[in-house]
Amino acid sequence: NPPNLSFEFGDATKKVSDGPWDAIILSNVLEHIVDRIGFLKAIREQTKARQFLIRVPHFERDWQMAMRKELGSYYYSDPDHKIEHTLKEFRDETSAAGLRTTEVLLMWGEIWAELEPAR
């Protein structure tokens, strides 16, 4: 392992170590959190991270999701999910949290995004 690489283990909804951090990686995390905007704001402010790499399920990945939702059926891919984002919802939430998207990819039914603190 490179000497300048370290990882934190814990519940980021409760506490994270003070920054500055280089990057925060949230891979399939946000969809499990009710107050995603508050969570992202707190992480951004606490860590002072320069970069955020976020991956979430994409609601618009398949026509079946919209059909199930319209029929009133359960349509999330996990019973603990609070949301499965449309691209607009993702952009709105991350922007409200003070993050600016620098790159976004739609791959394998997910939104993969690189973000930075808004100036």
Side-chain angles (χ1 to χ4, degrees):
N1 289 335
N4 64 341
L5 178 65
S6 63
F7 296 91
E8 292 271 333
F9 178 79
D11 185 344
T13 63
K14 292 183 173 49
K15 169 95 173 88
V16 294
S17 298
D18 290 335
W21 292 28
D22 292 324
I24 301 296
I25 300 170
L26 298 170
S27 179
N28 292 101
V29 170
L30 289 183
E31 64 272 17
H32 297 276
I33 296 174
V34 174
D35 180 13
R36 292 171 299 282
I37 295 170
F39 170 76
L40 287 170
K41 282 181 179 179
I43 293 286
R44 181 181 48 80
E45 292 167 7
Q46 183 91 27
T47 66
K48 313 257 185 295
R50 297 181 312 206
Q51 182 182 47
F52 289 76
L53 303 173
I54 301 176
R55 182 175 76 141
V56 295
H58 187 207
F59 172 76
E60 298 158 315
R61 68 187 173 272
D62 189 318
W63 63 270
Q64 294 177 43
M65 303 307 114
M67 182 187 74
R68 289 179 191 156
K69 182 178 181 182
E70 189 173 313
L71 293 174
S73 298
Y74 190 80
Y75 60 94
Y76 293 154
S77 58
D78 182 301
D80 186 57
H81 285 184
K82 312 307 184 238
I83 188 171
E84 290 192 2
H85 291 88
T86 64
L87 189 53
K88 181 181 181 334
E89 288 168 333
F90 179 79
R91 287 184 186 271
D92 288 349
E93 287 186 1
T94 55
S95 177
L99 297 172
R100 184 180 75 79
T101 302
T102 57
E103 183 174 3
V104 68
L105 299 170
L106 303 177
M107 299 189 317
W108 306 308
E110 296 180 320
I111 299 169
W112 295 53
E114 179 181 333
L115 305 100
E116 65 185 16
R119 309 243 185 268

